[in-house]
């Protein structure tokens, strides 16, 4: 099966370059039909891929919910087991539960003095303000307005 490039070249070969006259109308019509079939096939393929991507995203979200539920259930059961064992070791042939000490710092940021805080500053471009400024005629280094042609397949 010829590529779209080959079909386009064959279409051009059916037309006289100097006069624009059609040399072989039947062949031209056949090529145009083949080109349309190929374009339709690519558009349908895109629709199928986008549908697959949406289905995968839905399944991923469902799995994320199941994962979060399993993590929360395990956390809850961990607390239950800790309270049931009263911090005493437990061991069988299949499992061993023990406890170890650790230290952590709990912080209430609403009352904490700022001298105990680090400054964390991030800068994110304000695209809306930049777009407005460029449209108003301002030149901004590192930014430009780009017009896109977005394809829609339905």
């Amino acid at each position: 099966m010829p590529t779209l490039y080959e079909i386009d070249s064959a279409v051009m070969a059916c037309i006289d370059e100097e006069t624009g006259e059609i040399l072989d109308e039947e062949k031209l019509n056949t090529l145009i039909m083949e080109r349309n079939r190929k374009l339709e096939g690519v558009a349908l393929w895109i629709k199928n891929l986008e549908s697959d991507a949406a289905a995968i995203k839905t399944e991923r979200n469902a799995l994320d919910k199941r994962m979060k539920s399993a993590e929360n259930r395990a956390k809850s059961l961990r607390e239950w087991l800790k309270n049931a064992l009263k911090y005493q070791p437990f061991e069988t042939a299949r499992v061993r539960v023990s406890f170890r000490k650790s230290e952590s710092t709990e912080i209430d940021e609403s009352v904490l003095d700022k001298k105990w805080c680090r400054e964390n500053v991030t800068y994110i471009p304000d695209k809306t303000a930049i777009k407005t400024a460029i449209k108003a005629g301002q030149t901004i280094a590192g930014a430009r307005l780009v017009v896109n042609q977005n394809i829609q397949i339905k």
Side-chain angles (χ1 to χ4, degrees):
M1 177 170 259
T3 65
L4 194 57
Y5 176 77
E6 292 168 343
I7 293 171
D8 287 343
S9 295
V11 165
M12 293 308 293
C14 290
I15 301 171
D16 188 326
E17 291 182 29
E18 291 179 18
T19 64
E21 183 182 334
I22 298 173
L23 303 174
D24 188 349
E25 189 171 342
E26 186 177 322
K27 182 178 178 183
L28 179 64
N29 288 335
T30 303
L31 288 169
I32 289 173
M33 285 179 20
E34 190 173 345
R35 182 178 191 274
N36 288 342
R37 266 194 310 273
K38 188 167 282 279
L39 293 173
E40 179 185 42
V42 170
L44 290 172
W45 189 16
I46 291 168
K47 282 179 67 174
N48 190 33
L49 290 171
E50 289 172 345
S51 172
D52 288 351
I56 291 168
K57 182 177 182 179
T58 300
E59 187 64 23
R60 182 186 66 200
N61 290 341
L63 289 172
D64 283 345
K65 286 179 184 175
R66 285 179 59 195
M67 179 185 72
K68 192 67 174 170
S69 175
E71 287 172 345
N72 288 340
R73 181 76 172 151
K75 183 178 179 183
S76 174
L77 287 171
R78 219 176 242 283
E79 284 298 314
W80 180 88
L81 185 61
K82 183 169 63 171
N83 291 331
L85 291 175
K86 296 182 173 63
Y87 301 98
Q88 297 301 311
F90 174 78
E91 187 171 345
T92 67
R94 297 177 60 195
V95 69
R96 189 179 107 207
V97 180
S98 62
F99 295 88
R100 66 174 175 78
K101 289 185 179 182
S102 67
E103 291 182 348
S104 66
T105 306
E106 290 184 3
I107 296 174
D108 181 359
E109 291 184 33
S110 63
V111 295
L112 188 66
D113 190 328
K114 297 298 180 205
K115 75 177 183 178
W116 297 108
C117 297
R118 287 182 297 182
E119 186 174 357
N120 183 9
V121 178
T122 59
Y123 293 95
I124 301 170
D126 184 350
K127 290 185 178 183
T128 305
I130 293 170
K131 181 179 180 181
T132 304
I134 291 174
K135 281 189 170 187
Q138 196 172 353
T139 302
I140 300 173
R144 63 188 174 100
L145 197 58
V146 178
V147 177
N148 297 312
Q149 292 289 334
N150 299 316
I151 188 169
Q152 292 181 323
I153 301 171
K154 295 183 180 181

